[in-house]
Amino acid sequence: MPATGHRGTRGAAAGGIADGRGLAAVLALGAQAGWLGTRFLTASEAATHEVYRQAVIQAAPQDAVHTRCFDGGWPNAPHRALRNSTLRAWEAAGRPDVPNRPGEGAVVARSADGRGWSRYDDMVPVPGMSGEVEALALYADQSAGLVHDVAPAGRIVTDIAAEAAALTRRTRTP
């Protein structure tokens, strides 16, 4: 649903937009812009660990779940993340609260500088990390099911804009 701002001005729509079809849809509903997040996780310039990038590319829409699992540093905050080993273990245990989650406090990955990151931290995998980076927070929305490649950000923007423009022209033609 498009966001509306002060005095009836229209804003940007966010959530689930990863291609020109999604952008054209929110523009047709009255938004002035679309806010894309997940699509840019696979941009070649993005500081995204290759494990995370491939998880996004391989994800189906139902793999992005609404959860409160990765709340280290952001207590009880709802978010969407891709199902991974941490999320599956937490769900299988019945979604217990802190400090009773499976593997609570276990360091699963390390940054290039040696800093340890625990299983339920709100940290995403970035280049240079090692260890079980797949177990970290893989934030993404359901549009991950629409992301199938790695491309430069400029090409992503150009392709989405061109597809949205073409669809918009088609819907205006009698």
Side-chain angles (χ1 to χ4, degrees):
M1 178 172 201
T4 57
H6 184 64
R7 296 187 211 189
T9 59
R10 295 184 192 137
I17 307 167
D19 59 14
R21 201 172 50 105
L23 179 58
V26 299
L27 294 174
L29 290 170
Q32 290 181 323
W35 181 309
L36 287 74
T38 299
R39 179 59 187 104
F40 288 102
L41 289 170
T42 67
S44 53
E45 303 91 337
T48 306
H49 193 285
E50 192 58 27
V51 167
Y52 188 9
R53 183 175 279 130
Q54 290 305 312
V56 171
I57 289 170
Q58 295 168 14
Q62 63 271 18
D63 293 331
V65 297
H66 186 266
T67 184
R68 293 177 190 264
C69 181
F70 298 101
D71 67 350
W74 196 16
N76 210 27
H79 49 272
R80 279 204 183 273
L82 298 178
R83 256 200 189 90
N84 65 3
S85 60
T86 298
L87 190 49
R88 282 190 294 277
W90 179 68
E91 289 173 331
R95 297 180 174 94
D97 291 329
V98 175
N100 301 313
R101 301 179 293 188
E104 187 83 46
V107 172
V108 294
R110 295 205 175 272
S111 299
D113 64 3
R115 179 177 176 178
W117 293 98
S118 297
R119 184 168 302 281
Y120 297 97
D121 282 346
D122 59 352
M123 181 63 181
V124 298
V126 296
M129 281 187 161
S130 60
E132 296 176 61
V133 295
E134 171 280 336
L136 294 173
L138 303 177
Y139 297 121
D141 72 12
Q142 292 171 311
S143 69
L146 301 171
V147 179
H148 305 293
D149 64 348
V150 174
R155 193 179 100 214
I156 292 170
V157 171
T158 300
D159 290 352
I160 290 171
E163 182 183 9
L167 289 167
T168 302
R169 280 191 301 273
R170 258 189 258 154
T171 59
R172 289 184 193 158
T173 307

